[in-house]
Amino acid sequence: MLEEAVSLKRRLDGVVPPELLEKVPTSFEVIGSRAGAVAIIEIPPELEPYKYAIAKAVAEMNKHVRAVLRKVGGRSGEYRLYSYETLIEGPTEVLHKEHGYYIKVDPTKVFFSSRDQTDRLDVARRVGEGERVLYLFAGVGPYAVAMAKFAKPRAIVAVELNPWGFKYMVENFRLNKIKNAVAVHGDVAVVAPLFKRRYDRVLLTLPLGAYRYLPLAFECLESGGVVHFYHLGREEDPFSEAAEIVKNHCPECRIMERRVVRDYAPGVYKVRLDVYKP
Ligand SMILES: C[S@@+](CC[C@H](N)C(=O)[O-])C[C@H]1O[C@@H](n2cnc3c(N)ncnc32)[C@H](O)[C@@H]1O
């Protein structure tokens, strides 16, 4: 859930001085469900004295929110995690609901973004019956759950390095009664070479750095297969760098689809290229 927070400004009218009201964020992310949710918000330094009032207003806007976290800096490290400042303390392990399935996750321990849910559905709808799918950089496994729910793949192998991601992924397959997906705990660079030429589809869901694994992804593909390659692109020309990388690694490949997944940073998009290998 991404809350449109026009009313956040309105709620803070009279609390935050008028000249700072325009700095109040226009959106925040809510991960969870009726059973409990965590709200994640970016608050600029100018609003430091009002951070707790902002957090209280956020919690009042969604009665399921138990904890409010403030992002500190960008995602970092191998596990691609934000650092958070806790503004309202509460449980951060939640059961997130999207498209009718559940994802158990603690966003302080493992990557998860509710903002990728449209992309998950879009990828799932492209999976053909009986396909074998290799899902690299799988986190808590949300793309695998979407594919298993909305398509009929024969098998999904999902690889994740973060032990918390692996733990939640196993649980998410169980929660959603998914029988045709296997979670693997390990480094993609070590695990993926074991699967050469065995897959019809490979997902490379690591926008910052997936290009380093593109040759490996192509090696894992059967001819006639597709790689979903994620990358970052500047707003004014989102796809050309990603397309150039694909061309360099696989001149015979054809780009079937180019999509902007979502905003990543000011002026930068997360993009996806679907690449067909003949
Ligand atoms: C951008 S997140 C995507 C997670 C998941 N696919 C999703 O959409 O929620 C990338 C994930 O790759 C994992 N990761 C990073 N390097 C890895 C590696 N060498 N092998 C396996 N997983 C890795 C991180 O821990 C992180 O969970």
Side-chain angles (χ1 to χ4, degrees), residues 75 77-81 103 105 109-114 116 119-120 135-144 159-163 165-166 184-191 203-208 212-213 230 262 264 270:
R75 289 194 182 275
E78 246 180 342
Y79 297 161
R80 310 306 303 141
L81 296 177
I103 299 292
V105 61
K109 296 194 167 109
V110 54
F111 176 100
F112 180 76
S113 175
S114 59
D116 290 333
D119 186 60
R120 285 193 257 285
Y135 172 22
L136 303 176
F137 310 104
V140 297
Y143 281 82
V159 186
E160 170 58 39
L161 188 63
N162 179 344
F166 171 72
V184 178
H185 179 213
D187 184 338
V188 157
V190 175
V191 176
L203 277 70
L204 275 180
T205 53
L206 182 73
L208 200 71
R212 286 183 279 123
Y213 298 87
Y230 290 79
R262 62 173 163 90
Y264 185 88
K270 171 173 172 176

Side-chain angles (χ1 to χ4, degrees), residues 31 38 40 69 75-84 90-94 104-112 139-140 160-168:
I31 302 176
V38 49
I40 298 170
L69 306 178
R75 289 194 182 275
S76 65
E78 246 180 342
Y79 297 161
R80 310 306 303 141
L81 296 177
Y82 285 114
S83 295
Y84 296 107
T92 51
E93 183 183 87
V94 293
K104 195 169 188 182
V105 61
D106 182 338
T108 67
K109 296 194 167 109
V110 54
F111 176 100
F112 180 76
V140 297
E160 170 58 39
L161 188 63
N162 179 344
W164 283 103
F166 171 72
K167 172 192 165 303
Y168 282 121

